[in-house]
Each structure stands twice: as structure tokens, then as C-alpha cells.
């Protein structure tokens, strides 16, 4: 059955333009933050507080290559939502501005780190995480069945990848700010804190898998970040076998649990669809 959209309103056109402009700002911010424009790369900004060997929760450098995939997805979404067919689509009316907010916060986070304002960057990335959680909830609740592949990839997939990675980035950012502030750990060893934070990140991944019926995006990016965190703790100057082992075990648990939940969900949907067809026959 085809899904028709109401006629577009001027507000719909404004929303489309706002999302596109915010996407461009986020990509330009990432270009500046990478150091490609002559500025200081993120890992070297703020006195190197976010470098791969600054804390036990910092992933190795190659982990950040995932931003290229995320930004490509965000640009694809920005272009796709500009299409006339998407102007008045109920799903775009619901998700356009929430996604735009995440893009602005992304750019704001890069600016705060580049300015050396580590404490402010924590506030911004927490707001980014919350806004992505809101967007993810809306993605799950507004998903149509069946849904076109393009929409699943550029919207659902991109938001999922974005959220999973920001979960890891938030843990790393908060840890870096605490270390820079001289936090003593309340008597816990750095390894103990590192393992605890990794476990919390894993629990977040499991919660996203359960709520999202096994959405693969969050698990993929969160698992990616944890694996590179483990690599950093094995090969970097700040070694920690305990944190590395916890990160690898947690990444595996999140990915496996997500796949199991997804398979179970798809089987239920197939059974339900078959029952509906049989009832109509």
C-alpha cells in the first residue's frame, strides 16, 4: 500500500533548508577539526587531553575514520530530505529538526575542543548524546513497514551509527575532562575505573539493541569504538590488559546480542506478516 504525504507547506521548505545548512556546518566543522585546514587536530587540541594515550578510555587514532562514514551518511540524508517527495513526509516533519540539532551540537563540540574548553566540551557532547537518543527514539517509533532501502540507510542507519559512536566519544570525553581536572578516582585504580566505564558503555549498547529491536547501526559503531579502545590499550604507551580485555568482551557481547535480537525480531515480523496474508486469503 502506497504512503501518500500531505501537500508541502512553507514551513516544510524552511525545515529542509535548515537541515541542509546544518549538515554543511557540521562537515565544515569536522574539516577544521581534523586539522586539514591548518588548524590543530582534535587529538592534539586541549593540550592533547583527547589523544589516544591520554586516558584509558581513548580509542586508537584509526577509530576516528568512522566519522567519514557518519558524515557521508549525514550529507546523504541532507540531500535526500531535500527531495520534493520528502518535503511533507510525516517522518521528515518529525525528524528534521531533531537531526539538525545534533548537527549543530556536533559543530559546537569541535569548536569547544579547539578552543581548549574541555569542561564545556563535556556539556556539549552530553547534550549531543541526549539529542541523538531523542532522534533514535523517533526513528524507531516512526519507522514504516515496509520501508525503502534508501530511507533505511541514509536515515535509520546514519542515526544509529552516529549514536553508537557518540556513546563511545562521550565516555572518552568525560574521562579526559576528569583526568585533566585531577580526579583521584575515590580510591579506585585507573584500571578499575576503565573497566567500569567500558561496562557502562556496553550496557548502553545492550539497551539500544533491546529498544531498537536489534538495530545494527548503534552496535556496529559502538563495537568499532570499543575494539579500537582495546587496540590502544594493547599497543599504545598507556597499556592496560584489563581494560583491553573488557573492551573486547563488551564489544562482542553487544554485537552478538544485537544480532540475536534482530533475528528474533525479523522472525516475529515474518510470522505476523504471514498470519495477516493467511487471514486475508
Amino acid at each position: 500500500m502506497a504512503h501518500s504525504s500531505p501537500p508541502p507547506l512553507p514551513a516544510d521548505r524552511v525545515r529542509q533548508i535548515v537541515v541542509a545548512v546544518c549538515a554543511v556546518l557540521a562537515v565544515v566543522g569536522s574539516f577544521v577539526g581534523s586539522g586539514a585546514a591548518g588548524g590543530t587536530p582534535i587529538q592534539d587540541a586541549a593540550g592533547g587531553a583527547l589523544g589516544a594515550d591520554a586516558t584509558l578510555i581513548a580509542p586508537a587514532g584509526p577509530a576516528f575514520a568512522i566519522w567519514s562514514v557518519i558524515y557521508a551518511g549525514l550529507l546523504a540524508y541532507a540531500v535526500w530530505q531535500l527531495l520534493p517527495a520528502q518535503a511533507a513526509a510525516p517522518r521528515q516533519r518529525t525528524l528534521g529538526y531533531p537531526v539538525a540539532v545534533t548537527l549543530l551540537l556536533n559543530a559546537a563540540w569541535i569548536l569547544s575542543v579547539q578552543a581548549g574548553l574541555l569542561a564545556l566540551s563535556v556539556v556539549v557532547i552530553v547534550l549531543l548524546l541526549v539529542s541523538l537518543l531523542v532522534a533514535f527514539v523517533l526513528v524507531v517509533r516512526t519507522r514504516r513497514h515496509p520501508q525503502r532501502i534508501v530511507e533505511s540507510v541514509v536515515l535509520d542507519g546514519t542515526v544509529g551509527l552516529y549514536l553508537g559512536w557518540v556513546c563511545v566519544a562521550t565516555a572518552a570525553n568525560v574521562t579526559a575532562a576528569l583526568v585533566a581536572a585531577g580526579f583521584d578516582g575515590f580510591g579506585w585504580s585507573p584500571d578499575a575505573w576503565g573497566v567500569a566505564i567500558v561496562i557502562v558503555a556496553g550496557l548502553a549498547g545492550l539497551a539500544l539493541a533491546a529498544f531498537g529491536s536489534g538495530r545494527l547501526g548503534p552496535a556496529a559503531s559502538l563495537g568499532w569504538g570499543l575494539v579500537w579502545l582495546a587496540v590502544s590499550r594493547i599497543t599504545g604507551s598507556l597499556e592496560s590488559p584489563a581494560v583491553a580485555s573488557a573492551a573486547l568482551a563488551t564489544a562482542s557481547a553487544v554485537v552478538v546480542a544485537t544480532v540475536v535480537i534482530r533475528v528474533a525480531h525479523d522472525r516475529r515480523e515474518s510470522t505476523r506478516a504471514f498470519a495477516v496474508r493467511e487471514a486475508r486469503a
Side-chain angles (χ1 to χ4, degrees):
M1 183 185 211
H3 295 271
S4 59
S5 298
L9 302 172
D12 293 316
R13 303 301 187 192
V14 172
R15 185 198 68 247
Q16 287 178 298
I17 294 172
V18 167
V19 172
V21 170
C22 289
V24 171
L25 289 175
V27 172
V28 170
S30 73
F31 183 74
V32 173
S34 69
T40 304
I42 288 293
Q43 61 268 27
D44 297 327
L50 298 175
D53 293 316
T55 73
L56 292 177
I57 307 299
F64 298 93
I66 196 173
W67 273 120
S68 298
V69 179
I70 294 171
Y71 282 126
L74 290 170
L75 283 176
Y77 169 68
V79 172
W80 176 75
Q81 62 89 39
L82 280 172
L83 297 176
Q86 300 304 321
R91 207 171 189 224
Q92 303 313 316
R93 285 178 169 175
T94 300
L95 282 158
Y97 283 117
V99 172
V101 168
T102 72
L103 294 167
L104 290 178
L105 287 171
N106 191 318
W109 181 80
I110 291 173
L111 290 174
S112 63
V113 174
Q114 289 287 354
L117 303 174
L118 199 57
L120 177 60
S121 75
V122 170
V123 175
V124 175
I125 203 167
V126 169
L127 290 174
L128 174 57
L129 178 61
V130 171
S131 65
L132 278 168
L133 286 169
V134 171
F136 183 72
V137 169
L138 294 175
V139 162
V140 172
R141 290 182 175 175
T142 61
R143 181 176 173 85
R144 300 180 302 180
H145 299 281
Q147 182 166 286
R148 294 183 177 180
I149 293 177
V150 172
E151 184 172 351
S152 295
V153 172
V154 302
L155 179 53
D156 300 52
T158 297
V159 170
L161 283 176
Y162 195 4
L163 173 58
W165 175 252
V166 169
C167 286
V168 176
T170 300
N173 199 165
V174 171
T175 303
L178 289 174
V179 170
F183 177 61
D184 62 6
F186 299 123
W188 285 25
S189 70
D191 282 350
W193 272 106
V195 170
I197 293 171
V198 166
I199 291 174
V200 170
L203 291 174
L206 294 176
L208 292 175
F211 178 80
S213 300
R215 298 295 174 93
L216 301 178
S221 54
L222 195 150
W224 168 271
L226 290 176
V227 167
W228 281 106
L229 191 161
V231 170
S232 189
R233 299 291 68 78
I234 294 170
T235 63
S237 62
L238 193 59
E239 295 184 5
S240 175
V243 174
S245 299
L248 291 174
T250 301
S252 301
V254 170
V255 171
V256 170
T258 300
V259 171
V260 169
I261 292 171
R262 178 61 177 268
V263 170
H265 174 265
D266 288 350
R267 285 179 177 174
R268 287 194 301 270
E269 289 298 313
S270 296
T271 301
R272 186 178 295 113
F274 177 77
V276 171
R277 287 197 299 270
E278 287 294 302
R280 291 176 176 173

